[in-house]
Amino acid sequence: MTDTTHAASLEGQSRTPPLLGAQEPARARVTTPAQLSPARAIPLASVPIDAWQMLGERAAEPNGYYLPEWALAENTYAARRANARALCSFDERGALIGLIPHVSALRAYQLPLPALVTADVYPPFTLPLVDRDKSDEALSDMMQQARDSGARALILRDTSIEGPTLQAFARVLARTGLEPIVLRAHRRALLDATRDADTLLHEALGSKKLKELRRQRNRLGDIGEVTYKVASTVEDIVPALEVFFQLEASGWKGRRGTALSQNADNLAFIRHAVHDMAARGHCEIVSLYAGATPVAAAMVLRHLDRAFYLKMGVDERFAKYSPGVQLTLDLTRQMCADPAIASVDSTADPGHPMIDPIWRARLAIGDVLIPLRHNDPFIPVIRAAIALRRAALLPARKAVRLLRKIKDIRQ
């Protein structure tokens, strides 16, 4: 469930070519491994899509936002994220075993640093895809490609820092006496979907809070029967997505101008991405209705044994019934009952007031610098430059948050 910090980064994008229609998927150009140079990065749109999909099925760790259907739609329609490149590793059979979409440090940070930075996605989660059985081989190969390009470091932004992928990076680096450097880290809410939902919710919220939520749900039921709906097929998800857009734009995001439907690029990207992901069984729209009235809706991506909860919209006329919380409780029960799902990433900011008290497990996320050469004098320079940039931006971000709060109060 993406919070406003990252949503704001999608504002102000320039216009892309006209939307071709929500039914037309974004596609990569047809390219065979033999046509690709193993020694240099290639345009992301040139990665063979079938090989990319197969890598997604064999990935060491889930990342729904780096699946081709999501990443290619973003690369095509979201102007500020277009034209990314990719480090790719193929095994001796020509199978894709590693993929790191990336941009230059100049594009990522507006700093002329000799580093490649994982291409930002929406929401922020840039964990590379590597084959679970060949992760060391794939990462070693892609790191060498980065060296050959002149880069002194790889920087993984908003990535999982305790999973098997970073462990593989650590193993490869250890061969030359190096180690990953965590630049910043935090923990965000995660649902442990292997547990019984009722037990989990009772432990998280307690009897008194659950009783109050049941009372609110009953009052919502006075308007009409409360139903939880899951749209997962292309036929169902297209109209469900439009309901989501309407709900999101009707609330505070619409008043701030940050709702997805208020930006043509975002609208095109999300429509294509959701359509293509649903066609592959990787996306759902969940919604809560009171009679015929939708009161809350959200997008959910699925990859391997993890789901990703992002972008909720609610009808604020029903705020006293906590529609967002009610939707989250139903989603919790759905995911805990699904044997294919082991966890759900909230994709929320740390300390999120709604999701943190409900989902008590945590996912460690951070920015990680991967040094590519031993005793490289550029590494301290890169670290210092990024830290200074972050420190310089912090007051501006605080000012933006303050101005938004004042605007919301006045409205």
Side-chain angles (χ1 to χ4, degrees), residues 17 188 214 247 277 334 400:
R188 67 189 183 204
R214 284 193 297 270
L247 285 170
M277 291 285 279
Q334 175 200 347
V400 168

Side-chain angles (χ1 to χ4, degrees), residues 358-377:
I358 303 174
W359 293 357
R360 297 297 184 93
R362 295 292 179 262
L363 179 65
I365 299 292
D367 293 352
V368 181
L369 186 150
I370 305 296
L372 299 175
R373 293 172 173 82
H374 200 266
N375 293 327
D376 189 344

Side-chain angles (χ1 to χ4, degrees), residues 69-118:
E69 296 77 23
W70 190 269
L72 288 174
E74 190 163 19
N75 192 60
T76 301
Y77 297 104
R80 289 177 59 186
R81 291 171 170 76
N83 303 316
R85 300 183 69 79
L87 297 171
C88 298
S89 179
F90 296 90
D91 67 10
E92 65 282 354
R93 298 177 295 105
L96 183 65
I97 59 172
L99 175 75
I100 303 179
H102 70 272
V103 296
S104 67
L106 183 61
R107 178 172 168 181
Y109 297 118
Q110 295 77 52
L111 295 173
L113 301 172
L116 301 180
V117 185
T118 47

Side-chain angles (χ1 to χ4, degrees), residues 387-396:
L388 285 171
R389 179 181 181 274
R390 186 181 302 121
L393 289 175
L394 188 59

Side-chain angles (χ1 to χ4, degrees), residues 19 52 66 116 213 216 251 299 402:
L19 178 62
W52 190 349
Y66 269 179
L116 301 180
L213 288 168
Q216 292 175 356
M299 289 183 278
L402 178 60

Side-chain angles (χ1 to χ4, degrees), residues 53-77:
Q53 289 169 341
M54 291 179 64
L55 173 61
E57 294 171 1
R58 295 187 50 77
E61 206 167 342
N63 182 1
Y65 310 117
Y66 269 179
L67 292 177
E69 296 77 23
W70 190 269
L72 288 174
E74 190 163 19
N75 192 60
T76 301
Y77 297 104

Side-chain angles (χ1 to χ4, degrees), residues 63-307:
N63 182 1
Y65 310 117
Y66 269 179
L67 292 177
E69 296 77 23
W70 190 269
L72 288 174
E74 190 163 19
N75 192 60
T76 301
Y77 297 104
R80 289 177 59 186
R81 291 171 170 76
N83 303 316
R85 300 183 69 79
L87 297 171
C88 298
S89 179
F90 296 90
D91 67 10
E92 65 282 354
R93 298 177 295 105
L96 183 65
I97 59 172
L99 175 75
I100 303 179
H102 70 272
V103 296
S104 67
L106 183 61
R107 178 172 168 181
Y109 297 118
Q110 295 77 52
L111 295 173
L113 301 172
L116 301 180
V117 185
T118 47
D120 199 9
V121 286
Y122 181 75
F125 188 58
T126 68
L127 179 76
L129 297 181
V130 292
D131 188 297
R132 68 176 71 97
D133 294 329
K134 298 182 178 181
S135 55
D136 290 26
E137 174 187 341
L139 293 176
S140 179
D141 182 21
M142 292 187 289
M143 288 166 62
Q144 186 58 52
Q145 293 176 40
R147 290 188 195 97
D148 293 343
S149 75
R152 315 305 283 257
L154 284 172
I155 299 174
L156 316 178
R157 292 187 292 183
D158 296 295
T159 195
S160 171
I161 62 175
E162 293 180 347
T165 304
L166 199 64
Q167 292 171 5
F169 267 115
R171 288 194 300 271
V172 173
L173 288 171
R175 297 169 189 165
T176 54
L178 297 170
E179 61 183 7
I181 301 169
V182 177
L183 302 177
R184 68 183 182 99
H186 64 268
R187 292 179 177 270
R188 67 189 183 204
L190 181 80
L191 170 65
D192 179 359
T194 64
R195 299 191 58 198
D196 174 74
D198 289 336
T199 301
L200 182 150
L201 292 173
H202 188 271
E203 291 178 1
L205 298 174
S207 300
K208 184 177 180 180
K209 180 63 175 179
L210 286 173
K211 182 178 179 180
E212 172 61 17
L213 288 168
R214 284 193 297 270
R215 185 193 68 78
Q216 292 175 356
R217 194 180 185 97
N218 290 336
R219 296 290 74 78
L220 186 60
D222 293 340
I223 301 166
E225 182 183 2
V226 179
T227 55
Y228 174 71
K229 299 182 179 181
V230 180
S232 56
T233 67
V234 170
E235 293 75 15
D236 291 339
I237 212 166
V238 170
L241 180 61
E242 297 308 311
V243 170
F244 161 79
F245 284 142
Q246 293 168 11
L247 285 170
E248 189 194 33
S250 72
W252 61 266
K253 294 176 187 177
R255 293 192 295 273
R256 285 184 180 177
T258 60
L260 288 170
S261 61
Q262 292 174 307
N263 180 286
D265 290 350
N266 298 342
L267 192 62
F269 150 52
I270 292 294
R271 279 180 172 156
H272 282 84
V274 167
H275 175 277
D276 294 355
M277 291 285 279
R280 296 279 300 174
H282 292 307
C283 186
E284 300 172 347
I285 302 291
V286 296
S287 54
L288 193 70
Y289 278 72
T293 304
V295 297
M299 289 183 278
V300 178
L301 304 190
R302 300 168 68 106
H303 181 209
L304 301 177
D305 64 350
R306 180 169 293 168

